[in-house]
Amino acid sequence: MKLSVCTAIVFATVAFLSAASLDAQWLNYKTPGIPRLPDGKPNLAAPAPKTAEGKPDFSGIWRDDTSTSAAMSKAMDSLKPLPWAAAVYEKRKDNLGSDSPGTMCLPWGPLVDLGVGKVVQTPKLLLMLYNGTFYREIFMDGRELPKNPNPDWMGYSVGHWDGDTLVIESNGFNDRTWIDDNGHPHTEALRVTERIRRPDFGHLEVVRTLVDPGAFEGAWTVPVKLELDADTEQLEYVCNENERDRPHLVGKASDDKSVAVAPEILAKYAGTYAFKIPETGQILDLMFRVDKDHLVLEGVGPSTPLTSVSDTEFSGSGITLKFDQTDTKTLIVKTVEGDYKATRK
């Protein structure tokens, strides 16, 4: 799931489409047969639909709920990587993700991309389709996981029902994907258990538990909430033959040289700022706190200490954040695509 500010903004694509092409791609096509409010909007609080077999029907297009970023941030702080894995993570973080699977036009893996996609459900097979050219198959026909699988990008998955909760067990991942978009690695010993339920029409609740004794201590649990993305369809995205980003991803996070900023100035910037994600309109909370002599960003992945470039500018995770000492209600998020505003709550 791509949950950091860097992912939400830097890799965002702004599409300029004519009205005719919008119709051709069904982006404004009203999803038939769903409950609606008097104003015509989908009624996300309506009862969850059932299949002919009486089980919850997960079919639909889903996106991350706005609460997911904060939950993921809290979960990241509980991950306990082994020394080698921690060293790999620090190197990837310093390289600003220039060697990420996405940058290399490779699948991120199901642990990152589960949050956004289209679910097609049948009694014996559940498909998770992504707007790239890859997918997950969850077999629900009673088969067991393979004992010695050939390592795969998306792994192997089987599912069964526990009441109204779908339980998915997965293994057989290769070690080239990341378990989060910040760069934590895993080994081929990774095992994942997902528990998915649909409490109402418009929401899915997913709890993932990851176990990999070769990369981190104990079990790592990550809660995710998804929201139905009705009245639209996915757009195809193919990176493989047109990758042009990597030559431009130069420099490292450690290249930024920190300057001393007075604690009373840092204190002015502490607080929560509402950032509107350009491509979805969802609101993401950027939370800042002071830790000794620096600012820390929370709510969008693991807690990130920021580098003080000046009294008003701070860098981290490949972006620059600019505050205004005279108007601390506005924060400017500076990216390669342009500048975006966040408003203090």
Side-chain angles (χ1 to χ4, degrees), residues 54-229:
K55 295 299 183 182
D57 188 350
F58 299 150
S59 300
I61 297 178
W62 300 92
R63 65 184 180 190
D64 291 321
D65 183 271
T66 54
S67 65
T68 292
S69 293
M72 186 67 177
S73 178
K74 185 177 180 179
M76 288 307 307
D77 290 336
S78 67
L79 180 64
K80 296 180 174 60
L82 298 180
W84 77 266
V88 169
Y89 165 69
E90 291 298 332
K91 181 178 179 180
R92 289 171 174 172
K93 185 171 66 171
D94 191 42
N95 287 336
L96 301 175
S98 61
D99 57 347
S100 71
T103 302
M104 304 290 288
C105 287
L106 297 171
W108 282 89
L111 307 182
V112 174
D113 282 304
L114 173 62
V116 180
K118 185 174 187 176
V119 174
V120 179
Q121 183 173 334
T122 73
K124 301 298 183 181
L125 179 66
L126 186 143
L127 298 175
M128 294 181 179
L129 312 174
Y130 306 99
N131 57 355
T133 52
F134 58 99
Y135 55 90
R136 285 182 71 190
E137 293 181 300
I138 294 89
F139 292 96
M140 302 168 62
D141 54 6
R143 72 182 68 185
E144 296 182 352
L145 285 173
K147 301 298 183 184
N148 187 27
N150 181 49
D152 201 354
W153 288 99
M154 307 301 286
Y156 302 81
S157 300
V158 297
H160 68 272
W161 291 101
D162 179 9
D164 283 344
T165 298
L166 178 61
V167 181
I168 301 175
E169 302 282 352
S170 302
N171 71 349
F173 301 100
N174 68 36
D175 60 4
R176 299 177 65 185
T177 60
W178 296 5
I179 64 171
D180 68 310
D181 62 345
N182 296 291
H184 285 96
H186 65 85
T187 72
E188 292 181 358
L190 177 68
R191 289 287 298 260
V192 182
T193 301
E194 297 158 285
R195 297 181 64 87
I196 308 177
R197 57 186 298 268
R198 188 173 186 173
D200 57 24
F201 186 83
H203 301 90
L204 289 183
E205 295 178 352
V206 184
V207 177
R208 298 193 196 97
T209 301
L210 292 73
V211 177
D212 185 350
F216 49 87
E217 298 178 13
W220 183 47
T221 300
V222 182
V224 175
K225 291 186 177 181
L226 308 178
E227 182 174 294
L228 185 70
D229 197 6

Side-chain angles (χ1 to χ4, degrees), residues 9-15 237 279:
I9 302 172
V10 175
F11 294 104
T13 302
V14 179
Y237 172 72
E279 68 269 29

Side-chain angles (χ1 to χ4, degrees), residues 272-276 283-286 331 341-345:
T272 300
Y273 295 75
F275 173 76
K276 186 175 182 180
I283 303 299
L284 187 68
D285 283 343
L286 309 180
L331 165 67
K341 288 185 178 180
T343 305
R344 187 168 189 162
K345 298 176 95 173

